[in-house]
Amino acid sequence: MNPTDTAAPEAASRRVAIVTGGSRGIGRAVAERLAREGLVVAVNHASDSGSARETVEAITAAGGRAIALRADVADEHAVAAVFDRVRDEFGGVDVVVHCAGRLALSPIADLDLDVLDAVLRTNVRGTFVVAQQAARRLRAGGSFVAFSTSVVATRFPAYGAYAAGKGAVEAITLILARELRGRDITVNTVAPGPTATDLFLDGKTEEQIEALAKAPPLERLGTPGDIAHVVAFLTSAQGHWVNGQVLRANGGMI
């Protein structure tokens, strides 16, 4: 783990969040939104230290507090070290938002099984590892939010590996919500529809993007900000009665 530190020690009363995959896309939007809500944010990234630094700089420029911490979410020792660092620096963890993920598109018949293993390592094992640490470390009143995909319900072709992994994410988090009974900790999963991120747009033609934008009744792609609003609600006091749910934030798709 190679931390990039720009934060001073915080008062114990300030809420603290860890956002995995926080260097780009939805993860960055979530990190910046939570910082605007007054949380100290630890921005986790796997390799893109430059983008993680940009996220931290954007947060600090707006008057927030953030640090960047590098860790592969599927590596339990690296993830534990992130939680240790945040505890030591800020006193504890109140919110964990697990945005990190990997996408591979291919018909099931043609998918390289090494690619399948890589997708499942990040999306299933990674979710389990982060959820495990969150279950052990979150303070009372806290929240864990994971990410699935609306493709679990829409069943678009070529998304077999991705949807399989995200189906596992939904199972993991819904069970965790029940396991944390009595702890005053919420566990939910957000399942976005088509959202204009680099991960989503990469490799798609203009025609494919237009067709996907027309799929929701609202007839547009979602934005990272749309999803960040949902996460901000779920991790707020106002959203604390929502627990053990999969919220399909997709503009009205299935």
Side-chain angles (χ1 to χ4, degrees):
M1 180 179 70
N2 297 314
T4 301
D5 190 353
T6 66
E10 296 294 323
S13 60
R14 191 161 185 180
R15 297 181 77 218
V16 179
I18 295 173
V19 179
T20 71
S23 60
R24 295 187 299 166
I26 291 172
R28 177 171 180 169
V30 167
E32 292 182 358
R33 176 58 192 272
L34 293 181
R36 289 199 300 273
E37 296 296 321
L39 281 77
V40 179
V41 181
V43 178
N44 162 255
H45 64 99
S47 58
D48 192 350
S49 58
S51 294
R53 190 176 303 111
E54 289 174 2
T55 303
V56 169
E57 290 171 354
I59 289 171
T60 56
R65 290 282 194 178
I67 59 173
L69 299 171
R70 182 175 179 176
D72 173 0
V73 294
D75 180 338
E76 66 272 30
H77 304 294
V79 172
V82 166
F83 277 79
D84 286 344
R85 172 67 188 279
V86 173
R87 177 203 61 204
D88 294 344
E89 188 85 8
F90 304 115
V93 182
D94 303 285
V95 171
V96 176
V97 184
H98 179 50
C99 300
R102 184 187 294 264
L103 174 65
L105 300 180
S106 170
I108 290 170
D110 301 329
L111 182 65
D112 184 324
L113 294 182
D114 288 339
V115 174
L116 174 65
D117 289 344
V119 169
L120 296 182
R121 182 179 187 276
T122 298
N123 294 355
V124 179
R125 180 186 171 91
T127 298
F128 202 101
V129 168
V130 175
Q132 187 174 68
Q133 288 297 321
R136 293 172 178 174
R137 314 271 197 133
L138 279 169
R139 295 188 282 207
S143 299
F144 176 73
V145 178
F147 272 80
S148 179
T149 172
S150 287
V151 176
V152 172
T154 60
R155 307 177 188 97
F156 290 151
Y159 281 83
Y162 187 64
K166 293 302 188 177
V169 169
E170 294 185 12
I172 291 167
T173 52
L174 296 184
I175 289 171
L176 181 60
R178 278 75 184 168
E179 291 180 346
L180 296 184
R181 174 182 289 275
R183 294 267 307 276
D184 191 28
I185 294 169
T186 63
V187 181
N188 294 289
T189 291
V190 177
T195 305
T197 65
D198 291 342
L199 184 68
F200 169 78
L201 297 172
D202 184 44
K204 293 184 174 67
T205 66
E206 288 296 325
E207 292 76 14
Q208 288 172 321
I209 293 169
E210 183 177 355
L212 286 166
K214 292 292 186 181
L218 294 182
E219 293 194 340
R220 69 171 176 86
L221 296 177
T223 68
D226 290 328
I227 309 305
H229 293 324
V230 175
V231 174
F233 171 71
L234 290 174
T235 58
S236 71
Q238 292 78 16
H240 203 65
W241 189 237
V242 181
N243 187 33
Q245 304 300 316
V246 176
L247 199 161
R248 305 207 182 281
N250 59 24
M253 297 172 67
I254 294 172

